[in-house]
Amino acid sequence: MTARIFKPAKNAMQSGRAKAQEWQLDYEPEQPRTVEPLMGWTSSGDMKQQLTLRFETKEEAVAYCERKGIAYQVIEPQASAHRQIAYADNFAFRRWEPWTH
């Protein structure tokens, strides 16, 4: 049983970063998914795949894994490249390609 500790990416449908500040612990699947022959749905007998734990800090998540004896790997978040863009830049003379709809 191995766990991943990471910061989830922000929701693509919203501009805020409300739930992206917490650290999340997910378990790696122990069994592969199988296709049910009757309906064709995929299923698994591994119930830990459905479990997600959230922590305020990375240290809390690591301490939880060590306290419970769970092997873990920490995935550090990558800094996002934020570019300041103004609406007026669409009509600037230094624009590389012509502006079209």
Side-chain angles (χ1 to χ4, degrees):
M1 176 171 58
T2 305
R4 289 183 302 145
I5 299 172
F6 62 97
K7 266 190 167 180
K10 80 174 191 73
N11 187 353
M13 300 301 292
Q14 297 176 350
S15 61
R17 299 190 53 86
K19 292 187 179 180
Q21 301 302 322
E22 301 174 330
W23 287 84
Q24 184 171 328
L25 184 139
D26 285 343
Y27 289 98
E28 293 290 331
E30 292 180 355
Q31 302 173 0
R33 292 188 175 267
T34 58
V35 176
E36 182 184 303
L38 179 63
M39 297 296 288
W41 297 340
T42 58
S43 65
S44 175
D46 185 16
M47 298 304 288
K48 292 216 183 237
Q49 283 183 311
Q50 300 175 9
L51 183 63
T52 298
L53 300 175
R54 295 187 188 274
F55 298 93
E56 293 291 324
T57 63
K58 173 176 65 170
E59 289 76 23
E60 290 178 9
V62 169
Y64 174 82
C65 288
E66 290 175 352
R67 189 170 56 243
K68 300 291 185 179
I70 301 169
Y72 63 91
Q73 76 176 38
V74 177
I75 301 170
E76 294 293 333
Q78 296 178 356
S80 61
H82 182 70
R83 212 175 83 188
Q84 188 70 21
I85 300 174
Y87 178 70
D89 290 340
N90 288 332
F91 308 101
F93 288 110
R94 66 181 185 279
R95 190 172 171 85
W96 293 70
E97 68 270 350
W99 184 81
T100 62
H101 284 284

